[in-house]
Amino acid sequence: LYGDMTPEGLLDFCARVRGLDSARRAKRVAEVIRRLELEDVLHRSIDTLSKGFKRRLGLAQALVHDPQVLILDEPTDGLDPNQKQSVRKLINEIAAEKAIIISTHLLEEVDSICKRAITIASGRIVGGGTPDELRRNAANHNAVKVRVDSASAGRARALLQNLPSILGVDEHVENGVTTLVATPKDGAFVADAVAGVLRAAAVDIRALDV
């Protein structure tokens, strides 16, 4: 983005660089302005825009020539929660008609946007699949973390270990509070069973998370 230009000037410039003739240029610039909701900042200097509007403008200039493939690097990095939600909603809308490749380190972004994810470490692909498949393959998928008073921890651990759906139970103690982590067999959802058996035995549950 060129800070001394206006959004309108930048989009027209990018459309010309992409080789659009005058009629198609006007149509496409108007379309991305509408879609990215840039009407209120069209004539302001880009340097004065918020991060959210700059991110929208970056998307607009990438879309102005109507590409079939869009590659985005950290599209919501540095944005506040409302801006992130807005940009992700927009990406999901665009995904209905284009192939989009996103580079991101934010797992919440993968979950909210991506239909498929590939994990790369040191330049090599080390995993891939849908977000659900990746979750199911995780060792702690659907594990249940329970915090209980340390006085009742031994009884709670024995109860959890006796559940047929539990593979194993790990324990961590800090400041008189014991955290038990119950790992399910085959990634099954066991939160209801864990809570049920502890409540039935009158174990005081301080917190329970999946």
Side-chain angles (χ1 to χ4, degrees):
L1 303 179
Y2 300 106
D4 58 339
M5 297 180 76
T6 65
E8 184 178 51
L10 176 76
L11 292 174
D12 182 72
F13 167 71
C14 290
R16 281 189 284 116
V17 168
R18 292 291 186 179
L20 275 63
D21 61 40
S22 58
R24 180 155 170 72
R25 186 164 71 241
K27 181 179 179 182
R28 285 300 303 163
V29 169
E31 169 65 16
V32 295
I33 287 171
R34 179 193 64 77
R35 193 162 198 178
L36 278 298
E37 299 177 356
L38 295 169
E39 293 89 348
D40 291 342
V41 298
L42 273 187
H43 306 295
R44 287 173 51 184
S45 168
I46 291 173
D47 268 344
T48 68
L49 301 183
S50 67
K51 278 188 177 180
F53 271 117
K54 285 180 179 177
R55 197 56 51 91
R56 285 174 175 272
L57 181 57
L59 276 170
Q61 66 86 18
L63 289 167
V64 73
H65 61 297
D66 198 20
Q68 291 306 299
V69 179
L70 193 61
I71 300 175
L72 304 175
D73 182 29
E74 304 283 3
T76 63
D77 187 42
L79 301 183
D80 67 36
N82 288 334
Q83 292 169 336
K84 284 184 179 181
Q85 185 177 5
S86 177
V87 170
R88 287 171 183 167
K89 179 174 180 288
L90 176 67
I91 291 171
N92 278 320
E93 290 172 358
I94 296 169
E97 59 200 51
K98 299 185 187 303
I100 302 180
I101 299 170
I102 294 174
S103 168
T104 183
H105 66 281
L106 300 174
L107 297 184
E108 65 189 65
E109 196 144 279
V110 175
D111 212 29
S112 63
I113 296 176
C114 300
K115 294 182 174 67
R116 183 170 179 81
I118 294 172
T119 305
I120 298 174
S122 301
R124 297 171 63 99
I125 294 176
V126 296
T130 67
D132 280 342
E133 287 170 345
L134 294 177
R135 264 193 297 273
R136 287 196 296 270
N137 290 336
N140 63 350
H141 177 59
N142 275 337
V144 179
K145 184 166 65 175
V146 187
R147 283 197 297 158
V148 298
D149 188 279
S150 292
S152 58
R155 187 161 56 97
R157 180 170 187 154
L159 289 165
L160 296 182
Q161 286 175 327
N162 286 332
L163 285 173
S165 55
I166 296 299
L167 182 65
V169 180
D170 294 321
E171 184 174 327
H172 174 70
V173 182
E174 187 175 352
N175 299 326
V177 176
T178 297
T179 299
L180 300 172
V181 179
T183 302
K185 295 177 181 176
D186 300 321
F189 185 82
V190 294
D192 292 338
V194 167
V197 72
L198 295 180
R199 286 177 180 144
V203 174
D204 182 26
I205 300 173
R206 302 243 182 132
L208 186 149
D209 300 289
V210 178

